[in-house]
Structures are given as C-alpha cells and as structure tokens.
Amino acid sequence: MAEKYLGEDIKKLGFGLMRLPKIGEDEDIEQTCKMVDTFMKRGFTYFDTAYVYDGGKSEDALRQCVVERYPRDSFVCASKLPLWNAEKYEDLAPLAEESLSRAGLEYFDFYLLHALNADSAKKAEELNAWEFMKEWKASGKAKHIGFSFHDSAEALEDILKKHPEAEFVQLQINYKDWEDEGVQSRKCYEVARKYNKPIVVMEPVKGGSLTTMTQEVQDLFKAVHPELSIASWAIRFVASLPGIITVLSGMSNEEQMNDNTGYMEHFEPLTEEEQATIQKAVEIINAVPTIPCTACKYCVDGCPMQINIPGVFAAMNFLKVYGNKDGAKGRYDRAVKDGGKAGDCIHCGQCEEHCPQHISIIETLEEASALFD
Ligand code: SF4
Ligand code: SF4
C-alpha cells in the first residue's frame, strides 16, 4: 500500500498526457485507450493534463479515453490553469471551466497554477489567482490546489511562504539534475519538504534524456538489473524519495506503458546498492568532456549565415553525454530551423574572435555538419 498524501491513495506512477501517441495532427485515441486500460488494470489512477497541452486535445483525450470509460471514483485527474492566457481576474474562471468541459468533468482532483516561476508568481499576485484557486476549491471544482514550478529554490520558498493554501507542488526532479545549479532539483525538493508540501514529480527522465545512455552507463545499469530498462532507474529514483505523491511519465506508446507499469506495479524504493549505482552513473555522465560553450551568444550577432552556434553545440553536447542520436538530431533541427545550418558556415572567423571560451567554432561546426546535416 502506498503512503497517503492529502488523503489520497495514489500509486507512484502517473500518466502524463502531454506526449500522447498521434495519428497526423490528432491524438491516437484507440492506442491511448489501450494504454489507459493497461494503466488502470495494474492499479494506477493518476492522470495529468493541462489547458495548453496540444491546444486542448490532451484534455479531450482524457475525456474520451478515461472519463467516458471508467467510473469517476476509479481515477484522479490533474489539470493546470495557464496564467499567460489571462489579463484580469475575470479571465480565470472561463479558462478553468473550459478545461472541465473539455475533460467532461465536474471537478479536478488536483488543480494547479501552471508553470510558476519568479515572474509568473508576480503575475499570479496581480491577477489575484490564489484567491481564485481558493474559491474554485470552495466551490467543489477542485479537490486540491497547488502549482507546477520551474525556477530556483529561493523563488519556490517565496511562493510557499506567501501561499500556505497551496497543498502540493509539482517539481522537475531527476537524478542528473539533483545537484544541478540551474534546475536545483534537490534544493527545490528540500524547500517543499520544509513546508510539508507533498510533491508530484515531473520530467523524471529529463524530457527523455535519461531513457538512452552512453554504452558505459547502460552497461553499469544492466550489470545490476539486466531485465530493467534504462528509464526505470530514473523513475524509481524519484519514486523512492519520501513525500512524493506520484511520478509523472509522459508516455507516448504502449511499449513505454507496459515497461513503466511493469516495474512500478509492485514498486519498492531503491536499495543502497541501487542508489550507489545511480551515483556512479551521474559521475560517468558528469565526466564526459563537452564543448565548453556557456551559451553567452557573443558569437551569434556577427554571423553572416545566422547560425545558432550555441544551439548547435548544445545538441552536440547532448549527444556526447547521453549517446542519444535521435534526441540530439531533434535538438539540432530545432536549433537551426530559423537560420543557417552548421554546414552553411563560410569560415569567415567572426565568431571565433568573440568567443570568450576560445572554442574552435569553425572546426566544431564541421563536426556538427557531418553528424546532423
Ligand atoms: S565562421 Fe561560420 S559560424 Fe562563424 S561567423 Fe563566420 S559563418 Fe558564422
Ligand atoms: S561565444 Fe563561445 S561560449 Fe558564447 S555562445 Fe558562442 S560558442 Fe558559446
């Protein structure tokens, strides 16, 4: 039996509905229904969507695949209110109503202010959004209110100090970013614990980065558990932390669903030996030599071919660290979509004069072109 948080008995895997399988532009409802059936059959109940996911189609899919096919007391649903779509207090209720209507629900079990950071937390104050959330809960349209969060531990503490009405927080936590100064997984986790807020974890596999690894890391994990996927280590790591309501996985096909629900059905926290294996994996990942680009962009302005040099280097570093060629190619394609490709470089040398890290940009772009163009 899982620990109960906020009176809810929820297993430690939640179905994130932001990357559902698709046919063309639309969600593949038939495949999603099969995934939902596997999820429910194995005792999982938590579904996470948001007003903005796929322009509302995610909430529609929730209705079609879950709400219209299962009794209301057999699942719990979370959705999120996008403050960036609101200019005044009166805009909030219609957005929240629209989410309920798309999902075919009378209430959300968990309702969140979406993606708060230091700036959007200020907007929440201006809009009086927390007052709205309290009223929404009092009206019975949300059972529990909270927020998802992407910023520093300090900004998180500011919000939690001001808003004790937030019952839970949704945080990005993964083993790679546990000590990362940008993401601050550990520090944010510790702030949430200090304020006694149970946590929903998002991005446990760092947007898919921790599902494929270099051969060395794969060998390390496979030596301990040959039968377990690489992704399982990332999800079990966060599920093992105290105070976790559930861990969201944005599953995109039946294979991922079968894998995740398989090892999480009878979840046990990581043993000391398994924790040590993860620490070793992090050491290996952190020791991979990468291009020392700080993304300062001093090189970009003068480039006659408008090459997004730091974006290209970030894709190359992703490949070096995670060994994930498809993921790196996706990052590269997004980086160069509005400008020149790595292979368009005319060797004028403007960029290298400006790079404070003294990176051999021309040579490195040639490598990138060979890999991705
Ligand atoms: S050397 Fe290549 S990347 Fe650098 S500024 Fe010139 S064209 Fe752009
Ligand atoms: S100037 Fe150098 S460090 Fe800065 S973004 Fe360009 S390549 Fe990276």
Side-chain angles (χ1 to χ4, degrees):
M1 179 73 65
E3 303 124 284
K4 275 192 175 188
Y5 294 103
L6 306 176
E8 307 280 352
D9 192 5
I10 294 169
K11 288 183 88 156
K12 297 217 186 272
L13 177 70
F15 189 175
L17 306 176
M18 76 290 274
R19 299 188 193 100
L20 291 173
K22 295 189 118 181
I23 300 176
E25 292 294 300
D26 295 321
E27 272 62 16
D28 179 346
I29 295 299
E30 195 182 327
Q31 191 179 167
T32 305
C33 283
K34 283 189 194 157
M35 292 165 73
V36 166
D37 292 345
T38 302
F39 188 73
M40 297 287 283
K41 197 168 76 198
R42 291 182 166 171
F44 300 94
T45 54
Y46 193 104
F47 295 90
D48 173 84
T49 182
Y51 180 91
V52 293
Y53 287 171
D54 206 13
K57 290 183 198 166
S58 168
E59 288 178 333
D60 276 339
L62 171 70
R63 185 190 73 254
Q64 293 178 68
C65 302
V66 183
V67 177
E68 291 176 350
R69 299 173 64 241
Y70 285 93
R72 182 64 184 92
D73 61 0
S74 65
F75 58 85
V76 290
C77 291
S79 191
K80 311 184 194 78
L81 180 65
L83 293 181
W84 56 90
N85 281 15
E87 285 173 14
K88 54 188 183 309
Y89 182 85
E90 290 70 28
D91 295 338
L92 299 174
L95 290 165
E97 288 289 4
E98 195 177 348
S99 277
L100 280 175
S101 151
R102 285 175 186 161
L105 291 168
E106 288 177 0
Y107 67 94
F108 285 113
D109 303 85
F110 292 79
Y111 199 52
L112 299 86
L113 294 180
H114 199 166
L116 289 196
N117 55 32
D119 288 340
S120 57
K122 277 188 209 137
K123 181 160 186 188
E125 302 300 335
E126 285 157 20
L127 291 170
N128 212 5
W130 281 108
E131 211 41 51
F132 169 77
M133 293 294 271
K134 284 195 268 182
E135 284 170 20
W136 206 244
K137 181 179 166 184
S139 73
K141 293 180 179 178
K143 256 174 101 178
H144 305 294
I145 55 173
F147 59 101
S148 61
F149 180 79
H150 304 258
D151 207 335
S152 66
E154 196 185 345
L156 177 62
E157 181 144 21
D158 277 351
I159 300 172
L160 290 177
K161 230 185 254 169
K162 274 193 204 129
H163 293 288
E165 63 271 32
E167 295 168 85
F168 67 99
V169 292
Q170 184 165 313
L171 299 176
Q172 306 179 84
I173 305 180
N174 65 74
Y175 65 73
K176 167 71 172 64
D177 292 330
W178 187 242
E179 296 293 347
D180 184 275
E181 268 311 304
V183 180
Q184 300 194 351
S185 275
R186 177 181 57 76
K187 288 183 179 170
C188 287
Y189 169 78
E190 286 171 358
V191 167
R193 295 289 286 161
K194 177 175 155 191
Y195 285 80
N196 281 321
K197 303 299 176 187
I199 299 158
V200 174
V201 176
M202 59 183 158
E203 301 293 359
V205 294
K206 199 172 161 53
S209 308
L210 305 182
T211 58
T212 49
M213 285 289 180
T214 56
Q215 197 58 47
E216 190 180 3
V217 177
Q218 288 192 33
D219 291 347
L220 177 76
F221 284 145
K222 289 289 175 190
V224 181
H225 287 300
E227 76 289 4
L228 287 183
S229 63
I230 303 304
S232 71
W233 286 87
I235 291 187
R236 291 166 64 241
F237 171 79
V238 280
S240 297
L241 295 166
I244 302 298
I245 299 173
T246 197
V247 178
L248 301 177
S249 175
M251 292 172 267
S252 303
N253 55 49
E254 290 179 77
E255 190 188 341
Q256 289 169 2
M257 175 60 77
N258 288 333
D259 180 39
N260 282 344
T261 53
Y263 62 77
M264 288 302 288
E265 186 173 3
H266 304 292
F267 168 72
E268 293 290 338
L270 294 179
T271 62
E272 273 180 32
E273 187 202 352
E274 290 170 324
Q275 293 280 10
T277 302
I278 287 190
Q279 287 320 310
K280 179 83 188 131
V282 172
E283 281 164 26
I284 295 171
I285 294 167
N286 288 341
V288 172
T290 53
I291 305 159
C293 172
T294 59
C296 67
K297 297 188 178 166
Y298 295 152
C299 55
V300 174
D301 280 350
C303 174
M305 304 313 288
Q306 296 183 312
I307 301 168
N308 176 358
I309 299 163
V312 172
F313 291 174
M316 289 184 80
N317 282 341
F318 183 85
L319 180 61
K320 286 171 193 279
V321 171
Y322 300 110
N324 179 342
K325 202 157 185 193
D326 289 345
K329 174 81 168 91
R331 279 169 168 75
Y332 174 79
D333 288 344
R334 284 193 292 281
V336 300
K337 79 176 176 9
D338 297 323
K341 292 188 169 41
D344 294 335
C345 172
I346 55 168
H347 302 192
C348 69
Q350 291 237 33
C351 52
E352 293 193 355
E353 284 169 27
H354 292 99
C355 179
Q357 306 302 322
H358 309 293
I359 297 169
S360 303
I361 296 178
I362 297 172
E363 195 184 316
T364 316
L365 284 177
E366 280 173 3
E367 278 174 46
S369 179
L371 282 165
F372 301 128
D373 280 342

